[in-house]
Amino acid sequence: MKSARKKLLQVPASPGAVFEDVQSGWVGAVIRTEKSGGMHIMVLEDRRGKTKSFQLGFGFLVDGEPVEAIAPVATAKAPASSTQRTASGSVKVAGARARVARASRIWVEGKHDAELVEKVWGDDLRLEGIVVEPLGGIDDLVAAVRVFQPGPQRKLGVLVDHLVPHSKESRIAAEAMSLPGAAGNVLLVGHPYVDVWQVIKPKALGIAEWPTIPRNIEWKRGILQAFGWPSADQADIAQGWQRLLSKVNSYADLEPTLLARIEEVIDFLTTEVS
């Protein structure tokens, strides 16, 4: 007995609606629809601001379910300011579900790095299915990369603190990149600051510049002392970090050096292998 074919849900391609093209995997929000060459098409913008046109019809997913994209019902024109942005500055993909996690990963040195990346880029990373994992320091990076076994479908992006020439970090990074499989599958980037705390712009904290801490004083405790905050133990350091992190509302509160590196890593991990 021939079963009845299930009729797909019809979803209007209204501005802001999010579609995933089944064939290419492209995910984006509708920015407009138009007629071209006798076809009705919609233009989708992904989180990086790139656009691509698709013919309305079948072959799309919404929230993981197959749908038919149809022309939107004519309504009053929405104001240009209605476009929402994530904390990273990318177009907010409203209503989108997190993608199943990729095998690829972003590694950061510690918990504070991971929390900062999550606060600013969390929406983007969930949409792309990228997991951020803290390493607990950079000393064991070479062994960790060897165990991970990077490859074309299993890439690594690594963010390293204080990655400057002739430093311990730069030597470890060079050794990690010399491992089999690392070339082309591991992207190791860094920032020049002593710690990820310093990538927060002083202006966001209401200060002119970060305090200079003598080399004989542990840097984080020295910073807390300079701010007049408790600094006796690890709990004080954790609380101090949360006070600093609370001042970060978007990418605008971070130094451009870090912004460029994180965007570079996300692009590296999400570029499809041809």
Side-chain angles (χ1 to χ4, degrees):
M1 181 177 178
K2 189 175 182 180
S3 61
R5 183 177 179 180
K6 182 180 178 181
K7 183 176 177 63
L8 293 184
L9 176 67
Q10 293 183 324
V11 178
S14 304
V18 178
F19 290 88
E20 177 180 352
D21 176 54
V22 174
Q23 186 173 8
S24 66
W26 184 282
V27 178
V30 177
I31 57 174
R32 68 178 183 275
T33 57
E34 57 190 35
K35 289 186 177 180
S36 177
M39 296 185 298
H40 208 152
I41 64 173
M42 61 180 174
V43 182
L44 302 183
E45 182 180 42
D46 71 3
R47 65 168 191 83
R48 292 185 284 270
K50 297 179 180 178
T51 61
K52 193 170 183 179
S53 298
F54 297 90
Q55 183 176 358
L56 294 181
F58 301 101
F60 299 100
L61 301 178
V62 170
D63 290 339
E65 297 296 329
V67 301
E68 179 186 2
I70 63 173
V73 178
T75 58
K77 188 175 181 180
S81 59
S82 63
T83 300
Q84 292 184 312
R85 299 278 171 177
T86 67
S88 69
S90 62
V91 176
K92 188 175 183 63
V93 183
R97 295 194 304 182
R99 177 173 176 165
V100 175
R102 299 172 186 259
S104 300
R105 291 288 187 270
I106 292 179
W107 285 354
V108 295
E109 287 203 40
K111 183 172 181 286
H112 296 176
D113 307 70
E115 290 175 341
L116 181 65
V117 171
E118 162 61 29
K119 184 163 188 180
V120 177
W121 287 274
D123 287 341
D124 306 78
L125 295 174
R126 280 184 288 277
L127 187 63
E128 296 288 358
I130 301 174
V131 176
V132 178
E133 297 177 343
L135 286 170
I138 196 70
D139 291 349
D140 296 325
L141 177 63
V142 174
V145 173
R146 186 178 287 117
V147 170
F148 186 82
Q149 297 182 337
Q153 303 298 332
R154 187 177 174 82
K155 294 183 177 181
L156 269 179
V158 187
L159 178 67
V160 180
D161 296 339
H162 197 234
L163 188 61
V164 295
H166 312 301
S167 65
K168 176 190 76 172
E169 291 80 3
S170 66
R171 291 192 295 273
I172 293 173
E175 185 178 354
M177 290 303 298
S178 68
L179 292 173
N185 300 312
V186 177
L187 178 62
L188 215 155
V189 301
H191 57 74
Y193 305 104
V194 174
D195 190 272
V196 75
W197 289 19
Q198 271 191 311
V199 304
I200 302 175
K201 289 181 178 179
K203 183 179 179 181
L205 304 176
I207 59 177
E209 60 183 9
W210 279 89
T212 299
I213 308 302
R215 296 177 69 90
N216 64 328
I217 297 177
E218 185 181 347
W219 190 83
K220 288 179 178 176
R221 286 199 165 87
I223 290 295
L224 297 180
Q225 291 166 7
F227 288 159
W229 298 349
S231 61
D233 54 25
Q234 192 60 38
D236 288 335
I237 291 177
Q239 184 177 22
W241 166 243
Q242 291 304 317
R243 293 178 69 174
L244 294 173
L245 186 61
S246 70
K247 302 298 182 181
V248 177
N249 296 306
S250 75
Y251 72 97
D253 296 320
L254 304 180
E255 296 290 352
T257 306
L258 179 72
L259 301 178
R261 299 291 78 79
I262 296 295
E263 291 294 338
E264 184 181 358
V265 167
I266 293 175
D267 285 344
F268 174 74
L269 297 181
T270 56
T271 299
E272 299 294 336
V273 179
S274 59

